[in-house]
Amino acid sequence: MTVSIDSNLEELGRQRPEWEPWLAVIQEVLGETADTKWDAFVPARAGTQEGKIPLLTGAAITLESSALRRWTERLIRTASQSGTAKMATLKSAVRVADVSTLFKAALCQDDARLQEIAVSFGADPEAFHAVAALLPVPLLHACNRRLRGSVARSWTEGYCAVCGAWPAFAEVRGIERARYFRCGRCASEWQVHCLVCPYCGMTDHNELVSLVPEKAGNSRVIDACKRCLGYVKTFTVLQGSPAAKVMLDDLASVDLDVAALESGYRRPQGAGYALDVTLVDKAAPSGRLFPWRR
């Protein structure tokens, strides 16, 4: 990780010492995300994006089963040793027999399947879901690095053009005040040309509100929709955050999430666009598909 990311993690730790267990997990993810070995697993694309379909939809992703297992076990082990009671329940999940099923469920944001896997291990479902959701982040960052040139310039959907996730927050940049959504999973960005609700597409200013929590300042607001009751955190910045810092920016602004929830607004569960990917084991001579059992 860069000095800047390390210093941001340290600053978060000083501001929120109670977050130390979770920050240890985030540090593990950010360290793995910086490893360029994941670039080799990004699926190839021919041509540019079409329609409203994220780039990874229907992709065949080749992964090394041994590398996937090492990463999965390391992340879950780090979480289980964090010292919190809920995270400790993940110890039974460190030796995952079918890492491909877990990875695919996390990649496709299949909340129901992740719930089933958590129950099968006797792990706390909330803690398990939070950690499992981070498993595909290194691959997704690699996909953003390699595929962003294929994103359609006309993309203005509410969900990510690469992985289909809802935005983690919006950035209003520079003196032009150009508005961009940022993905919390792959860190991609896409410009939207007006104030719009990403969840229901509302653009009527009478149905959109901006909330400015006490002590937040005008540079950090909550843009909310009165029709679907969704919200997006919005930051006024000179320039967009580096990809490696998006996750930390999202975490550091949790006070805005709390304020939005207290005001009756919510973020939708699951994906903005459901992916359907195929995982292929690079280690298998025959190109055997990873098992996917329900």
Side-chain angles (χ1 to χ4, degrees), residues 222-275:
I222 301 163
D223 288 326
C225 176
K226 293 191 288 185
R227 182 169 75 174
C228 71
L229 299 182
Y231 75 92
V232 178
K233 298 179 292 188
T234 300
F235 313 138
T236 300
V237 295
L238 290 177
Q239 57 187 11
S241 276
K245 192 170 175 285
V246 168
M247 187 179 293
L248 295 181
D249 288 343
D250 186 26
L251 188 59
S253 56
V254 71
D255 58 307
L256 297 183
D257 293 296
V258 173
L261 292 172
E262 290 176 345
S263 299
Y265 296 100
R266 299 286 187 274
R267 280 171 49 87
Q269 296 294 316
Y273 192 103
L275 300 179

Side-chain angles (χ1 to χ4, degrees), residues 63-139:
L63 293 169
E64 291 180 356
S65 56
S66 57
L68 180 58
R69 178 169 297 281
R70 286 193 299 270
W71 163 233
T72 300
E73 292 182 354
R74 190 169 86 246
L75 182 63
I76 296 177
R77 183 179 296 107
T78 297
S80 69
Q81 295 173 348
S82 65
T84 69
K86 286 189 175 183
M87 289 293 191
T89 66
L90 272 60
K91 289 180 180 178
S92 60
V94 170
R95 298 289 183 182
V96 181
D98 192 352
V99 292
S100 60
T101 294
L102 173 57
F103 191 84
K104 180 171 179 177
L107 178 60
C108 297
Q109 295 183 271
D110 187 343
D111 293 345
R113 186 61 175 140
L114 290 175
Q115 173 85 6
E116 293 174 6
I117 297 172
V119 170
S120 72
F121 283 116
D124 179 85
E126 183 180 4
F128 184 84
H129 185 281
V131 174
L134 298 174
L135 282 171
V137 167
L139 172 65

Side-chain angles (χ1 to χ4, degrees), residues 181 191 233:
F181 285 142
Q191 187 173 5
K233 298 179 292 188

Side-chain angles (χ1 to χ4, degrees), residues 130-166:
V131 174
L134 298 174
L135 282 171
V137 167
L139 172 65
L140 289 170
H141 272 242
C143 289
N144 179 41
R145 289 193 294 267
R146 298 289 297 274
L147 299 178
R148 58 190 169 201
S150 298
V151 173
R153 293 190 179 187
S154 59
W155 185 272
T156 57
E157 302 305 316
Y159 47 85
C160 174
V162 176
C163 73
W166 294 121

